[in-house]
Structure formats: structure tokens, C-alpha cells
Amino acid sequence: MITSDTIKEIRKIFHSYDKNHNGVLSAGELNRFCKSMNTYFTKSELRMAMEIIDKDNDGHVNFQEFIQFVLEDE
């Protein structure tokens, strides 16, 4: 079960990787998050990950897309 505390924690994580504070994660910001989780992508793999995670295809990962990515195995 996903609690409001879980969402708050994920939001904190999201904002800590949103270095320019624009409310979305760029490919580079997402890559830094993944590296912190010991997941390393080549440029090609990162591009494919962005295509999967970025549901609205705007070139960035918003919080809704990020939380779906983080919680997809829950």
C-alpha cells in the first residue's frame, strides 16, 4: 500500500535530483538518480529509458511519471 508518507519521500527524492528546480527531470538528472540506485545506462539505454518513462513524450520526466517509474514493481 502506498501511503502519503511514501509519496512525500518520493517527492523529496525527485526534488533533490531536479537540480535546476524546473519541476521535471532531464535525461541527465534521471541518469544521476539511476546511478544513485546503482543502475548505469549507456547513452542508448538512457534514451530508451526516457522513451519508456516519459509518457507524454515531452523530453522530461515529471513527478507523476517519476513516481510511476519508482513504484512500478509495487
Side-chain angles (χ1 to χ4, degrees), residues 34-49:
C34 291
K35 284 180 180 179
S36 76
M37 304 299 291
N38 293 317
T39 301
Y40 300 91
F41 292 120
T42 64
K43 287 181 183 180
S44 175
E45 291 168 335
L46 180 60
R47 192 171 33 257
M48 286 188 293

Side-chain angles (χ1 to χ4, degrees), residues 4 6 13 16-17 19 21-22 25 31 39 50 63-64 67 70 72 74:
S4 62
T6 301
I13 293 166
S16 74
Y17 286 94
K19 294 299 182 189
H21 308 289
N22 65 349
L25 300 182
N31 197 31
T39 301
M50 283 294 292
F63 179 70
Q64 186 62 38
I67 200 167
V70 170
E72 74 180 349
E74 292 293 315

Side-chain angles (χ1 to χ4, degrees), residues 3-32:
T3 66
S4 62
D5 287 339
T6 301
I7 293 172
K8 286 177 188 176
E9 282 301 312
I10 294 170
R11 189 176 300 277
K12 276 194 232 179
I13 293 166
F14 178 85
H15 288 299
S16 74
Y17 286 94
D18 179 15
K19 294 299 182 189
N20 60 356
H21 308 289
N22 65 349
V24 294
L25 300 182
S26 66
E29 290 166 333
L30 180 66
N31 197 31
R32 281 190 287 284

